[in-house]
Amino acid sequence: MDYNLTKQQIALKKEFEHFFQEEMKKAPPEYWQSGQFETVYISDAGWEFYKYMKGRYAEKGWAALAWPIEYGGAGLTLMEQLLFDEAQSLYGAPRDIYGIRMFGQAVLVFATEEQRKRILPPIVSGEIQYCQGWSEPNAGSDLAALTTTAVRDGNEYVVNGQKTWTSGAHRSDKIFLLARTDPNSSRGEGLSVFNVDLKLPGIEIRPVHFMNGDHVFNEVYFTDVRVPASELIGGEENDGWRQTRATMNFERSLIAFFAGTRRRLDEFIEYVKTTKRDGRYLAENPIIRHKIAQLHVDIEVGRSLAYSTAFAELSGNMLFSAAAASESRVFGGELYQRVANVTTEIMGLYGQVESSRWAPLHGIASDGYQFNIGFNIGGGTSEIQRNIIAWIGLGMPRLKTVKTK
């Protein structure tokens, strides 16, 4: 494995960083008041800035660097995409996670040629925003237990069911939906993926508010929704579990996550270098120095994991071991917790203040501390990730559920 970049890649990396350094000066104040993932859904100003940046990515030809040119991409490799993702998150810029990073990649691998030409260009141009239709009230980490059905009726499928924890559905145009097309199947065997317009009759979106009133998540209800059969990804029923597992891997490789965490730590290092307590800078305290140094080491380990995952993705033509993606995901989720805990602890009472002139770093410590538990749940819990590593990565036997009377 060779992590050395070519001269062209080094030049492109510098160009990305200069672009984000200048463009992020235009971000509205509201954009910095929550994590970048949430803020684009919470505030209108954050959402408008997100759309502006998607337009700028499209203008530069950078929205989907590794996608083939015929589908709107730049025809470069996943390594150039990784460098872009890293710079993007290092400067806290908004990302199209569901369209570009997840569903679009699955369409590239599994969809028919007609679907690729129809679905991918509007994602690249930024015209269409996607959300994810996976979790249900009784099927989250155990996603294969989902019960939403899609029953064939002529040239359409009739969809009934409920999705929950759907990030950004209230801002989205379409949803990539996982539903059961074989009513007699169990677990992952009878599932299919659909490209569904959220404006179709029978779809209702209800907000799930945070305790502070912010609106990121939603419940999405489907009542006799008629979806054209042409929207069945790949054109064949019951291939949805294979497609979804690959999409999960795209979500879990996480270079952007480690770059974003590094940015948080860099900001915090500047804080301890410029903040005094009892007449001394916080950076002079050996305990604080050691804690920050350990976080820096952990972030570099995570960055190395993400690079190795990208190489696996590159060498496997976008398909790679789920264990590699899970290693990156579980390490990243728990690292985010450590960063949130250490920064809040060192800031003391100031770390609990938001939306005030007394709140250091835009109050981001408080937001990160409250949100960090979610990183060990969303996208599959840490326990699920460790099961995947043990089962697929280490070849251990898969545990079977023991039914009790």
Side-chain angles (χ1 to χ4, degrees), residues 162-176:
Q162 176 191 353
K163 298 295 176 180
T164 192
W165 309 121
T166 311
S167 303
H170 58 300
R171 301 278 192 187
S172 299
D173 306 291
K174 296 192 176 186
I175 184 170
F176 52 97

Side-chain angles (χ1 to χ4, degrees), residues 263-294:
R263 179 175 55 80
R264 288 275 177 96
L265 188 65
D266 287 346
E267 291 172 347
F268 185 64
I269 291 170
E270 190 61 27
Y271 171 79
V272 300
K273 287 165 67 177
T274 56
T275 303
K276 284 186 175 180
R277 188 175 297 162
D278 298 328
R280 297 177 62 192
Y281 287 106
L282 292 173
E284 298 178 60
N285 183 319
I287 295 176
I288 291 174
R289 296 163 66 92
H290 291 174
K291 287 186 175 183
I292 291 176
Q294 183 59 55

Side-chain angles (χ1 to χ4, degrees), residues 296-311:
H296 173 75
V297 170
D298 291 347
I299 289 172
E300 288 303 306
V301 170
R303 186 165 172 262
S304 180
L305 273 174
Y307 266 74
S308 68
T309 303
F311 272 95

Side-chain angles (χ1 to χ4, degrees), residues 1-10 13 77-80 82-83 86 253 255 258 299-315 324 327-328:
M1 189 178 301
D2 182 3
Y3 285 161
N4 290 326
L5 302 178
T6 65
K7 289 182 179 178
Q8 291 80 4
Q9 288 170 336
I10 292 171
K13 185 172 186 288
T77 73
L78 286 170
M79 187 50 60
E80 280 80 13
L82 180 142
L83 296 176
E86 188 172 22
S253 52
I255 184 60
F258 292 112
I299 289 172
E300 288 303 306
V301 170
R303 186 165 172 262
S304 180
L305 273 174
Y307 266 74
S308 68
T309 303
F311 272 95
E313 196 172 353
L314 184 62
S315 60
E327 289 171 19
S328 188

